[in-house]
Amino acid sequence: MSDHEKIIGVVGGMGPEATASFFSKLIHTTKVQKDQDHFRIFIDNNPKIPDRTKAILGEGESPLPALIQTAKNVEQAGADVIAVPCITSNYFLEDVQEELSIPIADVFEAVDAHLKQLVGSVRKVGVLCTTGTRKMELFQHKLTDFEIQYPSDITQKNKVMEAIYGAEGIKQGNTGLIPKQLLQEAADELIAAGVEVIISGCTEIELALKQEDVSVPLIDPMQVLAESLTKTK
């Protein structure tokens, strides 16, 4: 083991439950025999960061200043690398990176490597994500070796976004049957269109939709990112 073990910083709060889930993933993907074997982790759980999707759609203020400040907080605390458990925020992270002297871990790079390691030749990838992520074509730009498929526009609005943002949605603290069923129906639409795997392309989705709910492999980018950050010390 090196004299200085990697310290992980987390820019969190988008939303808080997704951040808590990511923290848990970091813990459970680390091979340990005792408490002291775990990584030191600094988390700034900042739910005051403006909504990323609203900003991308021109309906709200930019989250960039708050993202930069939150990232600087964990950098100044002593982090060596930063993870951001929010897929939509990736639209802004290139600008955030310019203000930092430590790297932001690339979740898309980790997912791309994971997809290429799957048994068989995966080509058609279904994505459930926010409309902001979809509009900016983040997955198409980052996963260029795969054909990216989204649900229909009406399903995106009435099922995916409703499951995340709706009155009974995940961001309201509901991770039970209502959002699960909406996401399951959206996933089934993608499976009927021939996708071979589905990516939970929003950190809220994995809180409600589980592998047993769909008939193809369900990939959680934050699980993949956590594994990539903790696989070596």
Side-chain angles (χ1 to χ4, degrees), residues 59-222:
E59 299 170 358
E61 66 177 297
S62 172
L64 185 57
L67 281 167
I68 291 171
Q69 185 57 58
T70 308
K72 283 185 173 181
N73 287 346
V74 295
E75 178 182 42
Q76 290 163 4
D80 299 303
V81 62
I82 290 176
V84 186
C86 171
I87 298 292
T88 311
S89 71
N90 278 265
Y91 176 69
F92 304 95
L93 293 187
E94 191 174 317
D95 291 331
V96 177
Q97 182 66 81
E98 290 181 2
E99 303 296 323
L100 304 173
S101 59
I102 61 173
I104 298 173
D106 190 336
V107 64
F108 288 101
E109 187 177 292
V111 169
D112 185 66
H114 179 77
L115 285 170
K116 289 171 180 174
Q117 289 170 358
L118 292 177
V119 176
S121 55
V122 172
R123 287 295 308 153
K124 200 167 187 180
V125 176
V127 176
L128 299 175
C129 63
T130 66
T131 301
T133 296
R134 179 171 171 168
K135 182 179 180 182
M136 293 301 106
E137 299 187 338
L138 286 173
F139 281 89
Q140 290 98 310
H141 291 154
K142 300 285 189 175
L143 305 179
T144 55
D145 292 331
F146 303 94
E147 180 185 343
I148 303 299
Q149 178 91 24
Y150 297 106
S152 67
D153 289 345
I154 188 120
T155 296
Q156 177 69 23
K157 178 182 177 183
N158 293 341
K159 294 182 180 177
V160 180
M161 289 297 279
E162 186 66 21
I164 299 169
Y165 285 96
E168 298 294 327
I170 301 162
K171 282 188 177 290
Q172 301 293 327
N174 302 310
T175 57
L177 188 59
I178 292 175
K180 179 192 289 285
Q181 187 169 345
L182 290 170
L183 292 168
Q184 207 168 11
E185 290 170 4
D188 286 344
E189 179 182 301
L190 289 172
I191 293 166
V195 305
E196 298 155 277
V197 299
I198 290 176
I199 294 176
S200 297
C202 168
T203 47
E204 261 76 30
I205 288 174
E206 61 96 5
L207 299 173
L209 189 70
K210 307 298 182 183
Q211 179 61 71
E212 59 265 25
D213 300 320
V214 295
S215 59
V216 299
L218 182 65
I219 297 172
D220 172 11
M222 291 302 136

Side-chain angles (χ1 to χ4, degrees), residues 49-62:
I49 297 172
D51 188 274
R52 285 63 58 200
T53 293
K54 285 184 179 178
I56 290 170
L57 298 178
E59 299 170 358
E61 66 177 297
S62 172

